[in-house]
């Protein structure tokens, strides 16, 4: 730390600095642990991990607003017990989904037939949201208190930098834990250990921590259902290759079965022959052995086994989940991945297709229907970018002359099937052949391309040519900007609107409860909200969401891409904050740079970054993401440094992120790139407000000491100079010349 501080002052900040890093580490680790563990118990939450993230923001914001109240750290282990206990209880209930505006796979394979059934999914979502938010309140208060210590003893920006450093360590730590294949009991133990350091000040605190931690870790261990944890799911497999069927569940839902699909294989049940027929039917239409084939969503290997049985000379198999791929390698009855004719690639389908250089006799889309989102920052499912017009167009480019495309899918609603048919029709110039039936893992087989146009072969198999286009309803096709295959229409449905309203109301009530100033202002009919900090949080959450999604398209939608992008964003914010403390940019330059970079980011589609050279692609990605993130962090740092109450400012900032996270659902109506415009609008409003406030200061009367009267709504810049360094603003507050600042932030 630099500036006019004595050695004693700097020495006194070491402990709160270490505590700030530790608490921020706990926050990120706990947040990621919740996002991974809760869906494995309450499967509907897998479709809404962003609600867990938003609840964390809400809890942190409410805690920061209570930064000057009595410590609530004792509540932290108690609230964790409540979260874990409620999740365990709800994990034994069958929650059904109706009128959700989006189809959800809720297959309760691991629950007994007598398990209680509850109609609707709002109860688990609201319960998880509320209890999760409460668990972050004590941590938010602890962060706010230590940020205020740095404001008084050093500078707000140094404190905020340590908060970012702890968050970055939390992301890196959880990434290592995930890579090592650890279980949730380890995740909870990791972030509970630093809690002993925080709660060791009193005997009662230690006792509460020991009791709470013991209950949490024991419950998580005893109620574990998964056999393995991949980066995407809690996974369990039942049966071995010798049993001819291996059932794979993800988060407790039946995901796929690794089957002995040999035509001459043993029949275990009456429906075995029907299931086998589904896998082999397209090759009967094809009428010849395929030379080479690409399988996307290869899973445990059923599609690969079918290709091998029909004489494929070489098969490239692509599967995004490393644990599922390994299960197929070890436990599939036909051992397809052991064949020297098969090459297995653990990556996402879009990345492989983009990099593929050869053309294939057959391109096969396995049952690529996921049960989770790409990340907790997005409403996009893991498989959504596979089923877009852009993706199918690329797949068409990989089909060799005379070849074809096969798509296996479980179309639960007619509009989903119509979208798939229409996308294949647009890309191949002819409607695909469609076969429907109950094949357990799928109910629809679509075949497109020159290999599947022989009417004679269709007649021999008792099949009919596809109907003309006029016989099908018009549906909007998913694109990379609107990749929502499972949404019935381009709109935010009533279910999502009700969630947004409910959680926003929850946040408003929480803010009024947490802030005595707001309650007093409400009585006076004059609410004092830090609009600037709120809008900075709102805009940045939308900005971050867009860039994580965009980089998934550029570099692949795998978990590792998400981790790298998220870590890079945190690191950029940290760098920008430190630089603003050491050598700040002017506010007009930072604001202009941010708005310009956001507009450029909106105009340039992510696909434009797909350069042949990885070095060029990396450079373009760094500029595309890093530039607006850097300027956003600079603008935030300029405003945050002048806040007289950094804990309150931090609280309003994360509450703005709550609003931004909820409004991210608007991408279901307006598309993903539109969120960048919404972020730019939020930032623009803050800059216009700041400009007007600065102009008002220039016309304000003088105080007795000759300084201009500082407007409370202008953020408290000393002497009307918004470019002052953070320690100058702090010293002016402490010396008494910031009386209006104290009123503003107290």
């Amino acid at each position: 730390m630099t500036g006019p501080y004595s050695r004693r002052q700097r020495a006194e900040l070491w402990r709160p600095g270490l505590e700030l890093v530790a608490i921020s580490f706990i926050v990120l680790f706990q947040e990621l642990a919740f996002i991974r563990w809760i869906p494995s118990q309450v499967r509907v939450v897998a479709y809404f991990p962003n609600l867990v993230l938003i609840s964390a923001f809400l809890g942190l914001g409410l805690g920061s607003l209570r930064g000057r109240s009595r410590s609530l750290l004792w509540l932290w282990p108690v609230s964790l017990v409540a979260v874990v206990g409620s999740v365990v209880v709800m994990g034994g209930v069958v929650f059904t989904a109706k009128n959700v505006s989006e189809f959800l796979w809720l297959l309760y394979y691991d629950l007994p037939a007598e398990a209680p059934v509850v109609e609707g999914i709002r109860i688990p979502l609201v319960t998880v949201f509320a209890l999760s938010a409460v668990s972050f309140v004590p941590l938010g208060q602890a962060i706010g208190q230590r940020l205020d210590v740095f404001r008084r003893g050093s500078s707000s920006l140094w404190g905020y930098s340590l908060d970012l450093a702890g968050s970055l360590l939390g992301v890196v730590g959880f990434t290592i834990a995930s890579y090592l294949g650890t279980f949730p009991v380890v995740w909870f133990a990791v972030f509970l250990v630093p809690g002993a350091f925080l709660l060791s000040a009193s005997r009662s605190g230690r006792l509460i921590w020991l009791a709470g931690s013991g209950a949490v870790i024991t419950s998580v261990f005893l109620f574990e259902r998964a056999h393995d944890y991949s980066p995407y799911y809690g996974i369990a497999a039942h049966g071995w290759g010798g049993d001819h069927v291996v059932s794979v569940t993800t988060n407790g839902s039946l995901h796929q079965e690794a089957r002995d699909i040999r035509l001459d294989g043993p029949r275990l049940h009456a429906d075995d022959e029907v299931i086998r027929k589904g896998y082999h039917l397209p090759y009967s239409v094809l009428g010849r052995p395929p030379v080479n084939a690409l399988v996307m969503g290869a899973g445990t290997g059923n599609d690969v086994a079918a290709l091998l049985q029909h004489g494929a000379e070489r098969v490239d198999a692509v599967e995004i989940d490393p644990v599922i791929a390994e299960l197929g390698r070890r436990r599939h009855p036909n051992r397809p991945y052991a064949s020297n004719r098969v090459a297995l690639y653990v990556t996402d389908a879009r990345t492989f297709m983009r990099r593929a250089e050869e053309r294939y006799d057959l391109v096969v889309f396995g049952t690529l229907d996921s049960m989770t989102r790409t990340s907790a920052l997005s409403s996009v499912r893991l498989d959504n970018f596979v089923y877009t017009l852009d993706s199918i167009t690329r797949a068409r480019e990989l089909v060799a002359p005379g070849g074809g495309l096969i798509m296996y899918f479980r179309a639960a609603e007619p509009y989903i099937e119509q979208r798939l048919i229409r996308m294949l029709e647009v890309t191949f110039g002819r409607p695909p052949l469609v076969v429907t039936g109950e094949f357990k893992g799928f109910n629809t087989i679509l075949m497109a391309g020159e290999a599947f146009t022989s009417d004679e072969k269709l007649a021999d198999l008792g099949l009919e040519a596809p109907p003309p286009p006029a016989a099908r309803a018009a549906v909007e096709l998913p694109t990379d900007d609107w990749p929502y295959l499972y949404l019935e229409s381009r709109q935010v449905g009533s279910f999502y609107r009700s969630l947004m309203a409910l959680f926003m109301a929850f946040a408003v009530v929480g803010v009024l409860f947490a802030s005595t100033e707001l309650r007093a202002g409400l009585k006076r009919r004059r609410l004092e909200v830090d609009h600037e900090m709120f809008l900075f949080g709102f805009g940045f959450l939308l900005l971050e969401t867009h860039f994580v999604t965009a980089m998934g398209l550029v570099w692949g939608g795998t978990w590792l891409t998400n981790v790298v992008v998220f870590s890079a964003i945190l690191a950029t914010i940290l760098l920008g904050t430190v630089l603003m403390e050491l050598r700040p940019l002017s506010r007009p330059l930072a604001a202009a740079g941010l708005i310009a970079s956001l507009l450029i980011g909106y105009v340039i589609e992510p696909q434009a970054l797909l350069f042949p050279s990885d070095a060029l692609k990396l450079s373009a990605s760094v500029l595309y993401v890093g530039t607006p993130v850097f300027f956003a962090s600079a603008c935030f740092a300029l405003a945050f440094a002048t806040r007289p109450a950094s804990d309150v400012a931090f609280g309003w900032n994360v509450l703005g992120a709550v609003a931004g996270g909820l409004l991210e659902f608007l991408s279901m109506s307006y598309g993903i790139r539109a969120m960048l415009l919404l972020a730019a609008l939020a930032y623009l409003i803050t800059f216009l407000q700041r400009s007007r406030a600065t102009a008002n200061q220039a016309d304000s009367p003088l105080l007795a000491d000759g300084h201009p009267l500082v407007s409370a709504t202008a953020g408290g810049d000393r002497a009307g100079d918004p470019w002052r360094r953070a320690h100058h603003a702090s010293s002016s507050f402490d010396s008494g010349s910031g009386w209006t600042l104290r009123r503003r932030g107290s």
Side-chain angles (χ1 to χ4, degrees), residues 701-709:
L702 298 180
L703 294 172
D705 61 359
H707 288 129
L709 178 63

Side-chain angles (χ1 to χ4, degrees), residues 214-235:
V216 166
I217 292 175
T218 301
S219 299
V220 171
F221 176 77
L222 291 178
F223 290 94
E224 183 58 72
R225 298 175 179 178
H227 300 161
D228 292 284
Y229 273 84
S230 78
Y232 310 99
Y233 302 105
I235 296 176

